[in-house]
Amino acid sequence: MDETSKQLIAETRSPIPAKPGSPARHDYEYEKNGTANLFILFAPLEGWRHVEVTDRHTAVDYAEILRDLSDQYFPDATRIVLVQDNLNTHKPASLYEAFPAAEVRRLAERFEWHYTPKHGSWLDMAETELSVLSTQCLNRRIADKQTLIKEVAAWEVSRNQKHAKADWQFTADDARVKLKRLYPVL
């Protein structure tokens, strides 16, 4: 699981479309329309991902995404391995801001929590999938949240239909060499 934000930017003038020998042209002026937050859930071995667009990135938003992951997307899973960075809201304690204690306990027990090392968020495969999303879908001006939701949903459907998986080749032995300063010395 990971997240990013997207600044919503509208054109103030109609762009000139591309034609043979000439790229599309956009005016440097634009209108800011706020930002949106994107949570990505990625199951790399299944080739499945889901992107949720929210107004903010708060502990409550995070908790609701985890409940959806548990109850809607993987209801039959005994345990869900959750790999994420060390952001302050990425803690089981965030569940208490959204749910009663019994629900927090139920959800917290469904997850096996793993955090990437400080300055090691690239070890989170969801971060890589966010990079693909940014390159294939978000690398242009998007004016409003509804358009963003529609575009991201189309990207998600396309990637899921292809069952695009992560070809992760970084092993534990590689980590011990490359990240030796992060491992404790016994």
Side-chain angles (χ1 to χ4, degrees):
M1 174 183 191
D2 208 349
E3 74 290 320
T4 192
S5 61
K6 172 68 176 167
Q7 186 174 17
L8 303 173
I9 297 175
E11 300 283 357
T12 56
R13 295 189 174 113
S14 297
I16 300 170
K19 36 186 184 179
S22 177
R25 295 187 180 132
H26 297 266
D27 195 76
Y28 65 91
E29 289 184 19
Y30 56 85
E31 180 182 329
K32 293 181 181 180
N33 285 338
T35 60
N37 185 70
L38 294 96
F39 285 99
I40 188 164
L41 305 170
F42 182 45
L45 299 177
E46 287 81 19
W48 174 89
R49 79 267 307 126
H50 173 67
V51 181
E52 189 72 33
V53 179
T54 62
D55 291 325
R56 296 167 312 284
H57 174 71
T58 65
V60 172
D61 296 318
Y62 169 77
E64 289 171 352
I65 294 295
L66 288 186
R67 183 179 58 189
D68 289 348
L69 178 62
S70 169
D71 298 349
Q72 185 177 347
Y73 302 116
F74 292 97
D76 298 328
T78 306
R79 173 87 66 204
I80 298 169
V81 177
L82 185 62
V83 178
Q84 56 194 349
D85 56 20
N86 280 297
L87 197 61
N88 62 343
T89 56
H90 290 181
K91 307 288 184 230
S94 293
L95 296 169
Y96 284 100
E97 293 192 36
F99 308 118
E103 178 72 352
V104 170
R105 180 176 173 85
R106 180 187 75 80
L107 289 170
E109 288 178 348
R110 299 232 32 230
F111 293 101
E112 182 179 315
W113 307 78
H114 294 274
Y115 298 96
T116 59
K118 190 175 182 182
H119 306 298
S121 65
W122 57 272
L123 292 168
D124 179 355
M125 287 185 240
E127 178 102 9
T128 305
E129 195 66 10
L130 275 176
S131 176
V132 175
L133 171 63
S134 294
T135 303
Q136 294 179 349
C137 181
L138 303 179
N139 61 348
R140 58 196 169 80
R141 293 179 180 176
I142 298 177
D144 55 69
K145 184 179 171 189
Q146 285 310 112
T147 303
L148 178 63
I149 290 169
K150 188 177 91 179
E151 295 291 323
V152 166
W155 175 86
E156 178 185 313
V157 166
S158 173
R159 295 281 289 170
N160 283 340
Q161 285 176 344
K162 295 175 186 168
H163 295 284
K165 299 178 181 181
D167 184 16
W168 191 254
Q169 298 184 17
F170 193 73
T171 65
D173 291 335
D174 293 336
R176 286 187 183 88
V177 172
K178 186 169 179 103
L179 305 171
K180 65 182 174 187
R181 71 186 191 297
L182 300 173
Y183 282 87
V185 177
L186 302 176

